Amino acid sequence: MKLDSHLHSFRSRDSTNMPKTIIHQAKKLEVDVAITDHNSIRAWKELSSLGQKAGVKVVFGEEILTFDEEKVSGDILGLFMNDFVKPGHYLEVIDSLREQDALIVVPHPFDFLRNNFSYLKQEFKKVDCIESFNSRCYADSFNSKAKAFALAHSIPQTGGSDAHFPDEIAKAFVEIPKANSLEDAHKLLKKGKGIVSGKRSSVMVHVKTFFAKKGFFKAKNF
Ligand SMILES: [Zn+2]
């Protein structure tokens, strides 16, 4: 099973991916997908039913904004979730994800130009995986640092496109050779059996994101 473990739908303010488009692209590119909108689970149901019809597996996830006592402390990704987790103190977010037995992932951990989690070095024992490839990282070195950190501390790895637009879907993924179901995928990723590969997206995607946030693009189905 190949899983693009980080992607957004139009339920994230800065994405134009319609659920139908996500499933269409996933099927064409032969990947399963995790839906990880910013602080929202509103696309879960629609994606899940479209995925079921098309034979694309959909992992329920969320990219959750965290804080410490004073300021933003970056994003945490929950995968294999079954309920919404609201943004909050990073320790509370981690606890809430643990309570629902979700897979806790630190996305783009060394991309200081984006919302990277600032407590990775102190708290890595509390998380399950590190995203060692994110297609939206501005520099290869951000991904190579993530991979090196994961290897140095024996932390399992995931990878994802972080797609906000259709042509980014499946640019990165984690392959889980022995997984036939989402339950298998969850267990095997936690054990570090995922093999990550991917390509970086053009930096133009960030320009598009800037304009999408301002409402310049309309989401469209195809
Ligand atoms: Zn993201």
Side-chain angles (χ1 to χ4, degrees):
M1 169 173 176
K2 274 187 193 173
L3 177 70
D4 183 345
S5 68
H6 184 164
L7 67 91
H8 295 265
S9 79
F10 76 108
R11 297 295 187 183
S12 296
R13 200 166 57 95
D14 51 359
S15 165
T16 63
N17 287 333
M18 292 300 286
K20 268 189 190 167
T21 309
I22 293 171
I23 297 299
H24 173 95
Q25 286 291 85
K27 188 160 178 78
K28 189 172 90 183
L29 300 167
E30 300 179 338
V31 291
D32 296 302
V33 291
I35 179 69
T36 56
D37 280 317
H38 295 291
N39 314 304
S40 171
I41 62 167
R42 290 170 72 200
W44 282 6
K45 272 193 188 154
E46 189 179 356
L47 268 162
S48 168
S49 65
L50 289 168
Q52 249 165 32
K53 283 179 209 148
V56 173
K57 294 184 183 71
V58 176
V59 173
F60 291 160
E62 185 186 345
E63 188 164 25
I64 307 154
L65 187 62
T66 71
F67 304 86
D68 59 18
E69 283 70 18
E70 292 172 354
K71 57 185 185 322
V72 168
S73 53
D75 288 325
I76 298 258
L77 211 58
L79 297 178
F80 305 96
M81 296 170 68
N82 49 45
D83 206 355
F84 174 66
V85 171
K86 67 175 193 296
H89 194 283
Y90 72 89
L91 290 172
E92 283 170 16
V93 167
I94 289 172
D95 280 351
S96 304
L97 289 169
R98 193 61 73 207
E99 269 166 30
Q100 54 177 284
D101 195 28
L103 192 75
I104 303 169
V105 182
V106 180
H108 43 71
F110 289 91
D111 191 342
F112 65 90
L113 296 169
R114 287 151 79 217
N115 222 359
N116 62 333
F117 179 51
S118 40
Y119 288 91
L120 178 70
K121 285 179 184 155
Q122 297 94 312
E123 304 286 13
F124 67 85
K125 288 193 175 145
K126 293 195 170 80
V127 306
D128 299 314
C129 296
I130 277 185
E131 186 182 69
S132 63
F133 200 99
N134 177 298
S135 297
R136 284 197 151 216
C137 279
Y138 283 93
D140 287 326
S141 62
F142 298 156
N143 283 325
S144 47
K145 276 185 189 165
K147 186 174 179 181
F149 188 88
L151 292 173
H153 299 280
S154 304
I155 306 168
Q157 300 171 39
T158 66
S161 66
D162 206 352
H164 286 60
F165 301 104
D167 57 357
E168 299 174 67
I169 293 169
K171 281 230 167 181
F173 52 82
V174 56
E175 193 160 2
I176 316 143
K178 289 187 179 157
N180 293 313
S181 65
L182 293 183
E183 292 74 36
D184 288 351
H186 185 174
K187 277 186 210 144
L188 291 164
L189 282 175
K190 202 168 176 170
K191 283 185 186 165
K193 304 289 183 194
I195 303 155
V196 175
S197 36
K199 292 190 191 111
R200 265 198 313 124
S201 293
S202 146
V203 289
M204 281 306 290
V205 297
H206 298 287
V207 178
K208 277 167 83 179
T209 299
F210 174 82
F211 285 106
K213 273 186 194 164
K214 299 200 176 291
F216 275 79
F217 300 123
K218 284 262 181 308
K220 50 177 190 273
N221 285 313
F222 61 85

